Amino acid sequence: MKLDRRTFIEILVGFSAGAGAGIMLTPVNWKIMDDMAIWSQEMWPRYQLGGLKGKLPERGKVTHEDTVCKLCPGGCGITVRKVKDRATKIEGRDGYPVNNGGICLLGASGLQLLYGPWRVPGPLKRSGKRGSGAFGRISWEEAIDEVVHKLTDLRDKGEAHAVAAILDSDRGTVPQLFSRFLKAYGSPNFIRTASDQDTYELALNLMQGAEDSVGYDLEGANFILSFGSGLIEGWGSPVRVIQAHSKWRSGNGDRARVVQIEPRLSNTAAKADNWHAVRPGTEGALALGLAHVIVKESLYDPMFTANHTFGFEDWNDFTGKIYMGFKSLVLTEYSPQSVSDITGLSPRKIVALARAFAEADRPIAVWGRGKGTTSGSLYECMAVHALNALVGNINKPGGVSTRPDVATQPWAEVVQDATACTCFNMPRVDGAGSSRYPLTKYLPDRWPQVMDGGNGGIKALLVNGADPYFTTMDSAAVAKAFEHIPFVVSFSSYLDETAYHADLILPNHHYLERWEDMPTPVGLHKPVLGLLKPVVSPQFDTRHVGDVIMTIAKSLGGKVADSFPWEDYKTALKETVGEKWGALEEEGFVEDANPASEGSFGTPSGKFEFYVTAFDQAGMTMRKDEEYLPHYAPIKPEGNPVLYPLLLVPTELMRLADGAVGNPPFCTKTLEENELKGDGLFVEINPMTAADYGLSEGAHATLATPKGKAKVLVNLTEGIMPGVIGIPKGLGHKAYDDYLAGKGVNANSLIGVVEDPVSGLCATWGIRAKLTRV
């Protein structure tokens, strides 16, 4: 059969609709899926995997094994079809509490990552200039000895604090092993890669006193107001959200209204009941304008605001001093007309949207742009979250809740030696937790910005489950920072950008080859712990990263070694899960009840705080009352508007992976010809703007920003606001292979970092730009 782009897209659309709505697919689509499975079983390994070149897989007994996908934070349950020990197909696992049988295109493409040419075959040591791709094979013993020697040398010099680790998450046993290692060794520099959770977790801590992640009961809501979230483009747990979207669109009484706020007609906007285009970066102002109408017309929940909130009304302290409350702020500063002037949305639409949201039975306001791969503005996040409090939909069915993970057994505290105790208390390299940013845990986009050759900086970097060289904004600053790091170790299974620029690669097992726990996926409102199980034998000379980091720790000796009493990673995992292990191993997941209740808040006032008192407790005395409240604090994009009259914003696609894993060929195949043509990347621009610059459909142009420039193609669309350019994230790789390398432009090479003044996190969503016809 012919497997062209259109056929692939038809497969994706048909399969997604069936998985989401429970529709029986036609035999034709199932036949195509079988053909794809045959291709992945025979043709891909035969022609691409060096060890199997020219050799067809053996025929044999067909079995199915369950595990969990680790290609994105979604944490979907999957079922792997096997012939003997060869995996031949990946499907969504029926009954799994996250995705219930559904699977996305990236998840279905997992076999290309298992058997494809991107795999690192075993430990590699750089043999040429960094970034040249020149590596030589070494043994595991040699590789570990080299890491131990470097770390011992730094520790002996009293520079343990110059070691850092960058991971994709801080939840689960593997990240906690890295965190524990750094603490025992003496480094405070555990860094989590950027996501909207950086900001939302901080907002929840300030407004609700919770250290947990956010959970949305999307399935129980009947009005979804999304502030730029790509609900069907990979936000949260993608398959789960797409299935919820299908439920919202159903006509069986579960139908919900969906409203999308963003400057571009994304797929989420196109499939929403209403799309409201606002100027990029003004979403927080719109949220406050909606709050103005809700308060003015008394549409808020009076019981919740009276009994469970602090700072809604004006208040006074023991001296009698009066402080402004949220109610006074929005009534005075955010009238529909003033917000219209900021956002470009008419006062009439602002009023109508506020009424519709407040009058719904179970409304929910969702925050986090695109797939949630950037941090964002703190006050904007607080403004959106305040809408959920106004309607009293906090810790309720169909609402927003703080969601702890499934309860597990705590580990014994690390006992530090003198070196570790001294170095661990040194300032972090990214500035998180400093007097300037005392409430922020990680500043993942900041560390390259503050590193130079003379400030000490990072002298040894460990990277696992992340590709910061590619995914961190301001690629030039990242490249320069890597030049200043003497020793870089990647634990990647694939030859990604960071591995390509590493000194050593100690490859982890593929996610289908290893044990690992998968904590509750991002955005899910109920605690779920999933279990990755090895469904195939390791295909290469790889080792579990948990075992490797424990081996390094034990080789360092002393208190560092004492902090890792387990025989191997699986022993540590079983001990951590405790009495739940039997059920977890048998079922592949366990669930807990969400303990959050309506009036359960850990703030100093014991209530939901519109007026954040934690700022004072952290020593962050604000100049004005409004700075303690959710308010509109515009983040100015980088660049001179005279020199760069347009605004470039990143766009994210369900069919284009832009995280730690490169886009597999299956996914790249589905990109439209007005998205990627050959190696040329298209940017979206409104026809009115294009006319001003003499640009036509398909025209070649130079896209320039203060951070760099690139050759692009022009895609004219009415689905983007005039004056705005949209650039897809996920292309522009220089590593991997010919299926991905050299295609398109890395959006991060054109977009810089603008810090949020309170959190220090990257708050920008775009940069000033110009387009010039070639």
Side-chain angles (χ1 to χ4, degrees):
M1 63 168 288
K2 181 183 178 183
L3 196 60
D4 59 13
R5 178 180 280 105
R6 183 165 298 279
T7 303
F8 238 98
I9 293 173
E10 288 172 353
I11 294 168
L12 177 63
V13 172
F15 191 71
S16 296
I23 300 171
M24 179 66 68
L25 302 182
T26 70
V28 175
N29 278 346
W30 283 115
K31 178 63 171 66
I32 293 172
M33 292 298 289
D34 284 340
D35 288 342
M36 288 170 60
I38 293 170
W39 186 85
S40 68
Q41 176 184 347
E42 298 185 354
M43 306 310 291
W44 180 259
R46 182 177 183 180
Y47 291 110
Q48 298 301 327
L49 185 59
L52 295 174
K53 199 167 186 178
K55 179 182 177 182
L56 286 170
E58 297 180 29
R59 306 297 181 180
K61 182 180 178 181
V62 175
T63 58
H64 295 82
E65 294 192 39
D66 295 330
T67 184
V68 177
C69 182
K70 198 75 166 51
L71 292 178
C72 83
C76 291
I78 55 175
T79 297
V80 180
R81 180 182 185 269
K82 295 170 54 180
V83 177
K84 290 190 174 180
D85 191 46
R86 174 164 297 281
T88 61
K89 187 178 182 181
I90 299 176
E91 300 175 301
R93 179 184 171 186
D94 290 335
Y96 197 78
V98 177
N99 57 310
N100 190 25
I103 193 169
C104 71
L105 186 58
L106 178 61
S109 302
L111 297 186
Q112 290 193 314
L113 301 176
L114 174 66
Y115 294 125
W118 299 349
R119 292 292 302 274
V120 178
L124 300 178
K125 181 178 180 179
R126 178 169 59 84
S127 58
K129 184 179 179 181
R130 183 178 285 177
S132 67
F135 290 94
R137 286 291 300 271
I138 59 174
S139 70
W140 273 102
E141 290 69 26
E142 290 172 316
I144 291 174
D145 283 348
E146 184 153 347
V147 175
V148 171
H149 174 75
K150 294 284 187 183
L151 296 182
T152 299
D153 184 55
L154 286 172
R155 207 164 188 270
D156 289 345
K157 294 177 181 178
E159 296 180 326
H161 58 282
V163 175
I166 300 178
L167 280 79
D168 59 330
S169 175
D170 59 358
R171 299 162 56 236
T173 50
V174 169
Q176 288 305 306
L177 283 174
F178 273 86
S179 178
R180 186 178 183 84
F181 173 81
L182 291 180
K183 186 173 183 179
Y185 176 81
S187 171
N189 296 312
F190 181 99
I191 302 172
R192 183 180 67 182
T193 52
S195 76
D196 57 4
Q197 294 304 297
D198 299 325
T199 300
Y200 220 132
E201 287 175 4
L202 179 55
L204 288 176
N205 188 16
L206 295 175
M207 303 179 84
Q208 298 187 209
E211 297 284 346
D212 306 315
S213 300
V214 64
Y216 295 101
D217 184 5
L218 299 174
E219 295 81 0
N222 67 352
F223 193 112
I224 296 85
L225 177 56
S226 165
F227 286 83
S229 301
L231 296 177
I232 57 174
E233 281 139 324
W235 177 89
S237 184
V239 177
R240 175 242 174 169
V241 181
I242 290 173
Q243 290 175 334
H245 191 278
S246 296
K247 181 180 179 182
W248 301 334
R249 304 268 65 81
S250 69
N252 58 3
D254 292 326
R255 199 181 196 288
R257 182 176 173 184
V258 181
V259 178
Q260 182 72 0
I261 311 294
E262 63 173 315
R264 172 180 172 267
L265 186 65
S266 63
N267 284 338
T268 302
K271 293 183 178 295
D273 293 280
N274 302 100
W275 167 47
H276 295 303
V278 300
R279 297 185 182 108
T282 65
E283 291 83 356
L286 177 59
L288 295 164
L290 301 179
H292 171 100
V293 177
I294 292 170
V295 171
K296 183 177 180 179
E297 299 187 4
S298 298
L299 299 175
Y300 58 90
D301 185 329
M303 296 297 292
F304 184 83
T305 54
N307 298 327
H308 301 298
T309 71
F310 172 78
F312 177 68
E313 302 281 357
D314 293 350
W315 61 284
N316 57 278
D317 61 16
F318 66 94
T319 68
K321 180 180 177 181
I322 299 175
Y323 296 85
M324 178 189 292
F326 184 70
K327 179 179 178 179
S328 294
L329 175 68
V330 296
L331 288 177
T332 4
E333 301 292 334
Y334 297 101
S335 69
Q337 184 58 60
S338 62
V339 169
S340 177
D341 294 339
I342 296 170
T343 63
L345 193 64
S346 72
R348 177 183 59 83
K349 290 183 177 179
I350 293 172
V351 172
L353 179 57
R355 289 171 178 168
F357 177 77
E359 291 171 355
D361 293 332
R362 300 179 304 280
I364 193 168
V366 179
W367 179 86
R369 290 189 180 95
K371 294 180 181 179
T373 54
T374 55
S375 301
S377 161
L378 175 61
Y379 283 126
E380 179 184 287
C381 178
M382 291 170 63
V384 173
H385 193 52
L387 291 175
N388 293 309
L390 278 183
V391 296
N393 210 8
I394 303 287
N395 296 338
K396 288 183 179 179
V400 184
S401 61
T402 54
R403 188 224 61 242
D405 285 321
V406 170
T408 55
Q409 300 299 312
W411 294 344
E413 282 294 322
V414 170
V415 178
Q416 296 177 314
D417 59 19
T419 299
C421 189
T422 299
C423 293
F424 184 75
N425 289 292
M426 296 289 283
R428 287 173 56 93
V429 69
D430 59 359
S434 64
S435 59
R436 183 176 178 184
Y437 302 119
L439 295 170
T440 310
K441 290 193 293 185
Y442 317 110
L443 290 169
D445 290 303
R446 191 170 188 266
W447 69 266
Q449 307 294 323
V450 297
M451 274 196 63
D452 57 49
N455 72 345
I458 299 172
K459 297 189 176 180
L461 176 64
L462 313 177
V463 182
N464 180 61
D467 187 6
Y469 198 97
F470 179 79
T471 62
T472 308
M473 288 187 180
D474 194 351
S475 299
V478 174
K480 185 177 179 181
F482 265 75
E483 290 176 2
H484 292 314
I485 303 174
F487 188 57
V488 178
V489 180
S490 168
F491 296 92
S492 177
S493 304
Y494 319 109
L495 194 61
D496 55 36
E497 257 76 9
T498 302
Y500 203 73
H501 291 83
D503 298 287
L504 285 178
I505 308 176
L506 280 61
N508 191 12
H509 292 325
H510 185 274
Y511 71 96
L512 295 178
E513 301 169 336
R514 70 179 188 257
W515 295 95
E516 190 173 342
D517 54 327
M518 182 71 183
T520 310
V522 172
L524 194 66
H525 60 292
K526 51 187 179 182
V528 175
L529 179 65
L531 180 65
L532 280 71
K533 301 178 183 178
V535 299
V536 295
S537 303
Q539 303 296 302
F540 297 96
D541 183 20
T542 57
R543 290 188 184 180
H544 196 294
V545 67
D547 290 325
V548 175
I549 201 68
M550 283 196 281
T551 301
I552 293 171
K554 291 174 182 179
S555 299
L556 287 168
K559 295 294 184 182
V560 181
D562 293 344
S563 299
F564 294 85
W566 307 283
E567 180 181 352
D568 54 24
Y569 170 75
K570 189 178 179 182
T571 303
L573 176 61
K574 291 175 67 174
E575 181 181 310
T576 305
V577 176
E579 62 183 14
K580 297 184 177 76
W581 175 256
L584 181 63
E585 186 176 27
E586 181 177 352
E587 297 295 332
F589 66 92
V590 291
E591 298 180 82
D592 274 356
N594 192 337
S597 59
E598 182 178 355
S600 175
F601 302 107
T603 56
S605 66
K607 299 181 177 182
F608 181 97
E609 293 195 353
F610 287 105
Y611 190 103
V612 175
T613 58
F615 284 145
D616 283 340
Q617 291 196 342
M620 300 174 66
T621 303
M622 304 301 186
R623 294 171 298 173
K624 302 176 183 178
D625 276 0
E626 70 175 26
E627 294 181 352
Y628 291 89
L629 298 161
H631 67 281
Y632 176 55
I635 304 295
K636 186 178 180 181
E638 186 176 0
N640 186 334
V642 176
L643 300 177
Y644 301 99
L646 304 175
L647 185 63
L648 177 69
V649 298
T651 64
E652 294 181 291
L653 309 174
M654 185 71 174
R655 295 165 283 119
L656 186 53
D658 59 342
V661 177
N663 212 47
F666 274 166
C667 297
T668 305
K669 183 75 173 176
T670 68
L671 295 175
E672 296 282 5
E673 291 183 354
N674 61 359
E675 294 169 337
L676 180 69
K677 187 174 183 180
D679 293 339
L681 177 71
F682 282 84
V683 295
E684 295 179 342
I685 185 171
N686 189 282
M688 293 173 58
T689 306
D692 292 339
Y693 294 89
L695 297 170
S696 58
E697 178 65 32
H700 291 259
T702 299
L703 173 62
T705 75
K707 291 300 177 183
K709 60 183 179 179
K711 301 294 184 182
V712 296
L713 299 170
V714 172
N715 176 28
L716 302 183
T717 173
E718 297 283 355
I720 194 166
M721 294 183 73
V724 178
I725 309 168
I727 183 170
K729 291 178 66 175
L731 292 171
H733 285 276
K734 295 180 180 178
Y736 292 101
D737 64 2
D738 291 342
Y739 287 95
L740 188 59
K743 295 185 181 297
V745 177
N746 184 359
N748 293 317
S749 67
L750 299 173
I751 300 176
V753 176
V754 178
E755 291 183 5
D756 184 285
V758 177
S759 69
L761 294 163
C762 180
T764 189
W765 182 250
I767 191 171
R768 306 300 314 184
K770 63 180 178 181
L771 267 179
T772 307
R773 184 172 181 174
V774 176

